[in-house]
Amino acid sequence: MKIERDFHMTNDGDDEFSYAKNSMMQRKAILAAKPTVKEAISKVCTDLHPQSMVIADLGCSFGANTLLFVSDAITTIGENPNNTIGERPKEIQFFLNDLPGNDFNNIFQSLEQFEQSTTKNCTSRGLQSPPHYVVGLPGSFYTRLFPCNSVHLFHSSMSLMWLSQVPENLDGIMNEANIHIGLTTPPLVIKLYQNQFKKDFSRFLQMRCKEIVPGGRMVLTMLGRNSTDVFSAGGTTMAFELLSQGLQTLVAEDCVEKEKLDSFNLPLYCPSVDELKELVWQNELLDITDIRLFEINGNPNGGSDQSAEDAAAAPVIIHGAAAAEAAGKTISTSLRAVKEPLIASHFGESILDKLFAVFARYFTNCIESEVEKSPIATHTGN
């Protein structure tokens, strides 16, 4: 598996499995972090007074989520009393970064409509939209991307849990029948995942420290865990367990070779808060202004009539078999929109429909089992 070649979000236009139609969870993460982003931008404007502000969105993907962050940044700067230096308005340069396989054309084709919408939004609020310029920047964020001391704000949402590669020295049957850290994953494999994340995240921080201006800010959001237990990544752990079971079912039906399953491991790790703190402190060049653990509700399509914060923290209520089946299908299509390219590159495209149909069925059964224990599934928020 070559990450820079094989990993990108699925984009088949209006296809039911496209990322554009199945990225509500990612959108909720951006909305939940919005107050933190707004505070970071305001602090940069107040403390540094840059005439030209450079903002980089790392792992930007494509579609409405990408331009949602850009829109929020423009509005925040427009609201800031330091929006002008003398008589000149502050200018903003946005760099949208992702791997070369990302659909940057999708972003560029959306810019004209985005500009019209942004201007209209600012005008309706009595704000002056600051001059801004958007460019695409292909490349891995585990490498150098910018000149020294050139970026005022780094933003990354739901990307940094992805590793630069499958953990080094993870071969063959070391993680038999699992595609990630599962309940039967041996401690050695868990350690390999942890070591790869430490190596990658440390490298990421080193690169950004060279590129960020003194006094600049970073706002990083990623999938994580609320404890030191590597099996406690909530719905992420369950999803990967069920996807592994789906592939095992296809092996039993002779649709997938067992050796293919045993040699497939997802390049992803969900760190704990303590792991992140330790790696930042080891860097010694960065301070943690704020670090928060928040939970997003498990319904990728819900919350449209709620505020961003309420939609993220609202309990998920599921009644009846039909609702459980619909939830299973929704989670399956959301997972497929992100994981399909990696799975297809390893197993071939022919298994995709059957695999995710099996996953949806298993997920539905899991939900129905939980509902039998309690009619309301809830979580605690931050």
Side-chain angles (χ1 to χ4, degrees):
M1 183 189 301
K2 184 174 176 58
I3 304 303
E4 292 197 23
R5 179 195 64 204
D6 298 331
F7 184 46
H8 52 83
M9 300 300 104
T10 302
N11 183 19
D12 294 317
D14 294 328
D15 188 272
E16 64 175 313
F17 305 122
S18 68
Y19 179 78
K21 282 194 171 184
N22 296 282
S23 54
M24 183 57 70
M25 293 294 287
Q26 290 86 345
R27 181 180 182 85
K28 288 182 177 182
I30 293 174
L31 292 174
K34 182 176 177 178
T36 304
V37 171
K38 185 173 183 177
E39 181 182 356
I41 292 175
S42 298
K43 288 293 291 182
V44 169
C45 291
T46 302
D47 296 346
L48 303 182
H49 302 286
Q51 176 62 61
S52 298
M53 187 170 177
V54 176
I55 298 177
D57 188 16
L58 307 179
C60 67
S61 191
F62 61 88
N65 290 345
T66 299
L67 297 179
L68 173 62
F69 163 71
V70 174
S71 176
D72 288 342
I74 290 171
T75 302
T76 299
I77 293 172
E79 294 172 338
N80 194 279
N82 295 300
N83 185 24
T84 59
I85 304 295
E87 297 182 355
R88 295 175 57 196
K90 189 186 303 297
E91 298 179 326
I92 318 170
Q93 176 74 74
F94 289 99
F95 286 94
L96 305 182
N97 157 259
D98 213 312
L99 293 174
N102 186 53
D103 190 354
F104 286 99
N105 281 338
N106 181 285
I107 299 174
F108 300 149
Q109 291 166 1
S110 304
L111 284 178
E112 182 177 358
Q113 183 178 353
F114 168 77
E115 293 293 346
Q116 295 173 355
S117 175
T118 300
T119 300
K120 182 178 179 180
N121 178 53
C122 287
T123 301
S124 68
R125 300 177 59 178
L127 302 175
Q128 179 183 0
S129 176
H132 52 275
Y133 313 92
V134 179
V135 297
L137 178 64
S140 170
F141 51 53
Y142 292 120
T143 64
R144 280 291 301 272
L145 295 169
F146 299 95
C148 290
N149 302 332
S150 62
V151 180
H152 296 87
L153 175 74
F154 281 110
H155 171 263
S156 181
S157 183
M158 302 294 278
S159 295
L160 277 165
M161 64 277 182
W162 289 102
L163 304 172
S164 66
Q165 62 177 63
V166 173
E168 290 181 324
N169 303 317
L170 178 53
D171 301 318
I173 61 172
M174 291 176 66
N175 198 22
E176 186 175 6
N178 293 297
I179 63 171
H180 192 247
I181 298 176
L183 297 177
T184 60
T185 295
L188 173 59
V189 172
I190 295 173
K191 189 65 176 178
L192 290 176
Y193 267 100
Q194 291 173 328
N195 288 342
Q196 188 64 47
F197 178 78
K198 290 178 181 178
K199 178 181 178 180
D200 284 344
F201 192 64
S202 295
R203 182 192 304 154
F204 173 88
L205 295 179
Q206 291 169 6
M207 299 299 100
R208 305 297 81 82
C209 282
K210 294 177 181 178
E211 297 164 345
I212 199 166
V213 303
R217 299 273 174 144
M218 286 196 285
V219 180
L220 313 176
T221 308
M222 69 188 83
L223 286 176
R225 321 191 300 273
N226 60 6
S227 79
T228 57
D229 182 2
V230 294
F231 303 111
S232 67
T236 303
T237 297
M238 180 176 71
F240 290 151
E241 279 288 307
L242 296 178
L243 195 57
S244 292
Q245 291 176 24
L247 284 165
Q248 291 170 34
T249 297
L250 267 58
V251 168
E253 296 177 357
D254 293 327
C255 297
V256 168
E257 297 176 3
K258 183 177 183 302
E259 292 76 12
K260 278 281 190 180
L261 172 55
D262 291 342
S263 63
F264 181 73
N265 291 280
L266 286 171
L268 181 145
Y269 181 76
C270 299
S272 68
V273 171
D274 288 341
E275 285 176 304
L276 291 174
K277 286 181 178 178
E278 180 181 354
L279 292 172
V280 173
W281 288 335
Q282 287 177 359
N283 179 269
E284 296 184 346
L285 296 175
L286 297 168
D287 292 324
I288 299 176
T289 302
D290 189 17
I291 185 167
R292 300 181 187 181
L293 179 69
F294 58 87
E295 298 188 16
I296 304 297
N297 83 45
N299 183 355
N301 291 330
S304 59
D305 296 328
Q306 299 168 293
S307 69
E309 292 76 16
D310 290 343
V316 180
I317 303 176
I318 296 175
H319 296 291
E325 183 177 352
K329 183 177 180 181
T330 298
I331 295 296
S332 178
T333 54
S334 298
L335 191 68
R336 179 171 179 171
V338 177
K339 306 295 189 297
E340 177 178 311
L342 292 178
I343 293 172
S345 69
H346 187 82
F347 296 100
E349 296 183 359
S350 61
I351 72 163
L352 292 173
D353 289 343
K354 187 167 187 177
L355 171 62
F356 285 98
V358 171
F359 172 87
R361 185 171 73 247
Y362 287 171
F363 195 92
T364 298
N365 293 340
C366 187
I367 291 175
E368 290 176 335
S369 176
E370 290 299 317
V371 170
E372 288 177 3
K373 299 175 186 176
S374 172
I376 301 178
T378 65
H379 68 78
T380 57
N382 186 42

